[in-house]
Amino acid sequence: MRVLGVDPGLTRCGVGVVEGVAGRPLTMVGVGVVRTPPDAELSHRLLAVEQGLEQWLDEHRPEFVAVERVFSQHNVSTVMGTAQASAVAMLCAARRGIPVALHTPSEVKAAVTGTGRADKAQVGAMVTRLLRLSSPPKPADAADALALAICHIWRAPAQNRLQQAVAEHTAHKTAPGTARRTAHATKGRTA
């Protein structure tokens, strides 16, 4: 499985590609940051993020895109920029038919470090260890993007099994009732 992790942001949008499967050693394919100038117009910044992400998608051809789920902070302007960059990442993936998964920061931290309260240094250290890198990726946005990809690779099989079980349960639960309603409706029409 090849996953592009995106740590959304307008000034620095972290991107990282990881390949592998749960239970086996993972490999970093690429890591970086898409940067935009803070003094540029918002529309131009979003276009630059889109163009940068498109280059990563062209170059690395991921099977999945994992994006950090935006959560409420005290600084509304920061949340807005992050949400806008997140939407651009989802749009780029959707345009290509690539499935998108959203993971909260605490999910990612818990998956990579074992605790949802880990700080950036702990996440960077674990990403370095898990991917067998010589040093932590810089800046932290890049390490966070790799952590998102790792989280998705590890969590996707369980999430897929859970979704499949829910779908099967829902289908099983509704199928008999649907048959009874159809039989009753048919009986009423023939009388």
Side-chain angles (χ1 to χ4, degrees):
M1 174 185 311
R2 180 175 282 204
V3 179
L4 170 65
V6 179
D7 182 37
L10 278 178
T11 303
R12 288 182 318 273
C13 182
V15 285
V17 180
V18 176
E19 193 166 66
V21 294
R24 302 272 171 108
L26 303 175
T27 303
M28 181 186 77
V29 177
V31 66
V33 176
V34 176
R35 296 179 188 273
T36 70
D39 57 347
E41 278 187 45
L42 176 61
S43 58
H44 292 111
R45 295 179 80 186
L46 291 171
L47 180 61
V49 169
E50 187 258 352
Q51 290 170 338
L53 291 173
E54 287 291 346
Q55 288 176 349
W56 276 84
L57 291 168
D58 284 341
E59 183 177 343
H60 297 289
R61 306 226 178 267
E63 299 166 73
F64 297 91
V65 174
V67 181
E68 184 175 273
R69 183 183 299 274
V70 178
F71 66 99
S72 179
Q73 294 175 331
H74 299 294
N75 187 342
V76 175
S77 63
T78 301
V79 171
M80 288 301 293
T82 303
Q84 290 163 334
S86 177
V88 169
M90 289 187 278
L91 175 68
C92 289
R95 184 183 293 139
R96 294 166 182 254
I98 302 171
V100 176
L102 299 174
H103 298 284
T104 66
S106 58
E107 278 180 313
V108 175
K109 291 173 184 178
V112 174
T113 70
T115 176
R117 295 177 182 253
D119 62 23
K120 291 213 177 265
Q122 290 170 306
V123 171
M126 283 307 295
V127 164
T128 302
R129 176 190 252 174
L130 293 168
L131 297 176
R132 300 168 315 282
L133 305 175
S134 58
S135 62
K138 299 283 183 191
D141 309 272
D144 289 348
L146 291 171
L148 276 152
I150 293 167
C151 174
H152 186 72
I153 290 169
W154 286 353
R155 294 179 64 110
Q159 288 175 334
N160 291 342
R161 285 192 301 274
L162 182 60
Q163 288 170 348
Q164 183 178 7
V166 168
E168 288 173 3
H169 177 72
T170 303
H172 177 71
K173 191 174 180 180
T174 58
T178 304
R180 272 186 252 130
R181 284 193 299 275
T182 304
H184 180 68
T186 304
K187 184 179 176 184
R189 275 191 246 136
T190 58

